[in-house]
Amino acid sequence: MRLLITGGAGFIGSNLVRAATLHRTVTDIRILDDLVTGRMSNLDGLDVETIPGSMLDDEALDRAMTDRDAVVHLAALPSVPRSLRDPIASHHANATGTLRVLEAARRHDVGYVVVASSSSVYGANPVLPKTELAWTRPLSPYAVSKLATEAYALAYQASFGLPTLAFRFFNVYGPAQRHDHGYAAVIPRFVDAALRGEPIELHGDGRQSRDFTYVETVCAVLLDAVERSVSHPQPVNLAFGARAELLTVVSELEQIIGRPIARRHVAPRGGDVRHSEADNRLLRSLFPDVVPTPRMNGLRATVEWFETHVLKQRA
Ligand code: NAD
């Protein structure tokens, strides 16, 4: 199985490259990444062919797609706040970028494409847990661009018979997730501040909740999908219904780090949803063999990664 991972130098992408190098059916891994948020150092020591370039560039995309059996399309400009600042850039990367990847896959006779959508598509729908048939009402340009991502993937399945799968990732966390830019996600920001002995910043009261999924679990699902070419006509939630309030995560980090963590409350952010939890019945029926990593184990591995890769580099 010759695999292309777009966004392969990013957080989830580089973890997927690492997992794929150990996988029984993946023989050859190529990534396409323009390094806008990804880092080559995430791939240190891994056997992977790298195409540094953008999926918005014809030549780079053509090179990337040549002789591939399957594509895991992760490249995107993630982050709600980034899309509030530059909605057009988010649209280009996430909506147009996905359409270009699907079209290139079709032209190159690639047999299977997985795309990454997001739980943010549920937006203003307050019902918990979120089933895939629940109505969607995106609250941010990012969420709209992810709705386009999944809609294009499913339309290529319906219109052209291209086997595709559109996952709605919830809050993924783990090693290599960036803490060091303005759009950083909550767990890397918490871990970094906690290890430096600084207060963690909570938007609002900290009682908002998310369905956190450890990146290794996400990669196990992605590789199972690729191995069996699992295709489905609806989007599939990729989270296991392990919802936790942010304050709970802070307490868990206190247990792992072994000391109290100070909290600083700041204004809530526009475009953020209050609670998020996946209905995971469809996921479990399609991927019965994947066992999710418990949050305490995932958080512990994340803290260890930060200790060796971030703290030591600063020292
Ligand atoms: P990331 O920013 O670490 O990875 C995205 C990668 O795409 C980066 O390496 C970046 O350099 C690359 N990229 C961006 N634009 C590109 C372009 N035009 N051409 C080539 N490469 C480009 O983010 P991540 O957290 O690993 O997210 C991966 C995917 O999962 C994204 O599609 C994101 O929307 C989706 N997702 C992530 C989460 C999460 O919790 N991390 C949640 C929901 C959805």
Side-chain angles (χ1 to χ4, degrees):
M1 165 84 66
R2 296 160 303 176
L3 183 63
L4 169 67
I5 303 171
T6 71
F11 158 50
I12 299 173
S14 60
N15 279 285
L16 183 61
V17 170
R18 181 164 283 107
T21 57
L22 304 172
H23 198 263
R24 52 187 174 264
T25 52
V26 178
T27 49
D28 173 333
I29 308 163
R30 179 185 293 159
I31 69 150
L32 171 69
D33 200 304
D34 69 355
L35 302 177
V36 65
T37 58
R39 289 183 288 206
M40 284 309 295
S41 59
N42 287 337
L43 301 170
D44 278 352
L46 296 174
D47 182 15
V48 55
E49 180 194 352
T50 303
I51 299 189
S54 173
M55 60 189 160
L56 300 174
D57 174 79
D58 285 339
E59 201 246 313
L61 187 56
D62 250 8
R63 266 180 68 207
M65 211 57 80
T66 304
D67 296 331
R68 292 298 97 181
D69 300 308
V71 176
V72 179
H73 172 47
L74 299 172
L77 289 180
S79 149
V80 167
R82 182 197 284 269
S83 78
L84 298 175
R85 246 166 256 177
D86 193 347
I88 308 270
S90 291
H91 180 86
H92 279 321
N94 304 354
T96 309
T98 298
L99 177 58
R100 289 175 54 83
V101 165
L102 289 161
E103 187 51 20
R106 186 167 80 93
R107 262 191 287 109
H108 282 268
D109 282 326
V110 172
Y112 181 62
V113 180
V114 181
V115 305
S117 178
S118 157
S119 59
S120 62
V121 300
Y122 293 113
N125 185 340
V127 175
L128 289 180
K130 312 289 185 198
T131 72
E132 289 85 351
L133 295 177
W135 49 272
T136 53
R137 187 146 74 77
L139 289 172
S140 65
Y142 169 71
V144 174
S145 72
K146 287 282 127 175
L147 201 52
T149 296
E150 63 180 50
Y152 274 130
L154 299 180
Y156 264 65
Q157 195 187 114
S159 307
F160 303 116
L162 175 66
T164 59
L165 190 60
F167 281 117
R168 289 179 177 161
F169 294 176
F170 280 59
N171 285 69
V172 187
Y173 71 96
Q177 192 167 23
R178 288 190 74 158
H179 66 285
D180 57 348
H181 59 58
Y183 309 114
V186 62
I187 288 187
R189 283 197 288 112
F190 283 5
V191 171
D192 181 59
L195 288 176
R196 283 190 287 122
E198 292 189 356
I200 54 127
E201 208 171 74
L202 289 158
H203 290 274
D205 62 3
R207 309 301 301 259
Q208 62 269 49
S209 61
R210 296 290 180 269
D211 197 334
F212 292 105
T213 314
Y214 187 52
V215 67
E216 212 173 81
T217 307
V218 170
C219 293
V221 172
L222 290 171
L223 287 173
D224 195 16
V226 165
E227 182 174 14
R228 297 187 290 119
S229 297
V230 178
S231 184
H232 197 73
Q234 288 163 20
V236 180
N237 289 337
L238 207 176
F240 287 82
R243 177 163 71 98
E245 290 184 354
L246 299 191
L247 287 173
T248 305
V249 173
V250 177
S251 317
E252 290 170 348
L253 287 173
E254 287 178 324
Q255 283 176 53
I256 291 166
I257 291 169
R259 55 177 186 271
I261 301 170
R263 295 116 158 107
R264 189 154 59 85
H265 291 268
V266 297
R269 288 191 316 192
D272 270 352
V273 299
R274 179 81 178 149
H275 297 296
S276 176
E277 181 180 348
D279 181 305
N280 57 66
R281 282 173 296 177
L282 180 56
L283 179 75
R284 286 187 188 273
S285 72
L286 292 170
F287 302 95
D289 296 337
V290 176
V291 179
T293 301
R295 196 168 55 248
M296 278 303 268
N297 297 5
L299 287 176
R300 200 169 283 116
T302 306
V303 168
E304 280 165 13
W305 186 88
F306 269 80
E307 282 171 339
T308 45
H309 290 80
V310 181
L311 276 198
K312 276 199 185 135
Q313 277 171 14
R314 269 199 205 112

